[in-house]
Amino acid sequence: MRDLAQDLALAQQLADIADVITRDRYQSLDLVIETKPDLTPVTDADKSVEAKLREVIAANRPDDLVVGEEFGTPALTADNYYWVIDPIDGTKNFLRGIPTWATLIGLCNPAGEVVVGVVSAPALYRRWFAHSGGGAFVSENGGTPKQIRVSQVRELKDASLSYSDLVGWGTRKMAMITLQEKIWRSRGLGDFWSHMLVAEGAVDIAVEPVLALWDMAALDIVVREAGGSFTNLDGKPGAHGGNGVSSNGLLHNDFLTALNA
Ligand code: IPD
Ligand code: CA
Ligand code: CA
């Protein structure tokens, strides 16, 4: 049996290590920016964080596997837990000096369920974390963690929605635009932040149309442990569905029905 509190403690250490690297490279004049084959940017900070975290995980959990955005996905097995790392979520923000970026660290059991998550956003002075059954917490500026809960908003007309942008919606694009006229408020706050605001109860729904496992793993457990729901746009629970919706749970089905109408 795994001790998930111990795994969360390791994930916090990994986040501390990541924060040192990212803080040092954020807004530095010699930041190295390259373009990946998928035409998205990557910086030296993204690569350094993932390389270092892989090293520390290998030393502390030699049997675990690691899935990371920059250095790939191994063959997963029915026996091994695996860590899921997005070294910097919001790289385009990071390289332009916008403080909304975070290191995302998740741990999945062999069945693929996320059981530990840490989302560390040092330029926002905030870190969110959770493990299965332990509740979700936020710590501000390294201070005492505070337990967080999703909102109680029940109707779409009263709901606040955050998304990234209008790219990638395909056949759902018109529904996405129409929905924004039917709800109380929408903002494109973007990336991990939309989902962490759902966990805090500050926003009621967060949605993104194209995501990878590393974009979602850590978010999924924090939202669920805060009492919310995390599925893909077809309503499939978890972080493996290629896109993601977080909500307070109460609005989840109505939102998906409207988006898929
Ligand atoms: C991006 C963010 C963003 C999502 C993009 C991702 P990155 O990740 O997660 O929210 O809309 O699809 O690529 O590249 O900044 O780690
Ligand atoms: Ca990402
Ligand atoms: Ca990334």
Side-chain angles (χ1 to χ4, degrees):
M1 265 303 270
R2 299 275 296 214
D3 180 343
L4 293 181
Q6 291 287 329
D7 285 317
L8 177 58
L10 175 58
Q12 296 271 23
Q13 285 171 32
L14 297 170
D16 291 343
I17 292 166
D19 286 0
V20 171
I21 298 171
T22 51
R23 267 205 197 103
D24 177 58
R25 300 302 291 145
Y26 182 54
Q27 294 185 314
S28 63
L29 293 177
D30 62 347
L31 188 72
V32 179
I33 303 167
E34 294 167 320
T35 301
K36 295 195 277 190
D38 67 0
L39 300 182
T40 63
V42 61
T43 73
D44 60 282
D46 299 71
K47 292 199 251 185
S48 302
V49 168
E50 186 170 324
K52 186 67 192 172
L53 298 197
R54 282 175 179 270
E55 204 182 293
V56 178
I57 292 167
N60 285 274
R61 298 286 189 278
D63 293 335
D64 291 356
L65 302 172
V66 181
V67 172
E69 179 175 10
E70 307 308 338
F71 298 118
T73 301
L76 301 175
T77 74
D79 301 318
N80 297 89
Y81 277 66
Y82 55 99
W83 296 80
V84 181
I85 295 168
D86 186 343
I88 298 179
D89 184 52
T91 294
K92 289 175 184 164
N93 285 344
F94 182 87
L95 62 84
R96 289 298 304 268
I98 299 169
T100 318
W101 48 268
T103 296
L104 312 184
I105 300 161
L107 175 66
C108 289
N109 66 20
E113 294 151 353
V114 189
V115 291
V116 168
V118 175
V119 174
S120 191
L124 298 176
Y125 302 96
R126 273 175 116 66
R127 184 182 291 183
W128 299 263
F129 57 91
H131 72 69
S132 291
F137 296 84
V138 66
S139 155
E140 291 178 64
N141 209 8
T144 309
K146 189 178 77 181
Q147 190 158 10
I148 51 176
R149 278 294 301 174
V150 294
S151 70
Q152 296 284 310
V153 175
R154 289 180 171 274
E155 295 196 37
L156 282 181
K157 70 176 177 45
D158 301 321
S160 169
L161 166 77
S162 178
Y163 59 103
S164 280
D165 54 38
L166 282 175
V167 177
W169 290 95
T171 54
R172 292 179 170 110
K173 187 167 179 176
M174 273 321 292
M176 182 63 190
I177 292 168
T178 310
L179 247 167
Q180 292 181 48
E181 291 166 355
K182 294 186 174 162
I183 60 176
W184 176 61
R185 188 176 194 235
S186 68
R187 284 288 183 274
L189 300 170
D191 308 293
F192 70 94
W193 201 31
S194 298
H195 303 269
M196 292 302 90
L197 289 170
V198 169
E200 289 191 27
V203 162
D204 310 310
I205 305 162
V207 61
E208 290 182 84
V210 182
L211 294 175
L213 174 60
W214 47 78
D215 297 314
M216 298 187 271
L219 313 182
D220 163 73
I221 179 96
V222 173
V223 169
R224 286 187 293 109
E225 285 296 323
S229 301
F230 193 101
T231 71
N232 75 354
L233 300 186
D234 296 316
K236 180 181 166 215
H240 297 266
N243 44 48
V245 187
S246 296
S247 83
N248 65 1
L250 301 169
L251 294 162
H252 212 85
N253 287 343
D254 286 353
F255 177 74
L256 288 181
T257 303
L259 188 63
N260 291 313

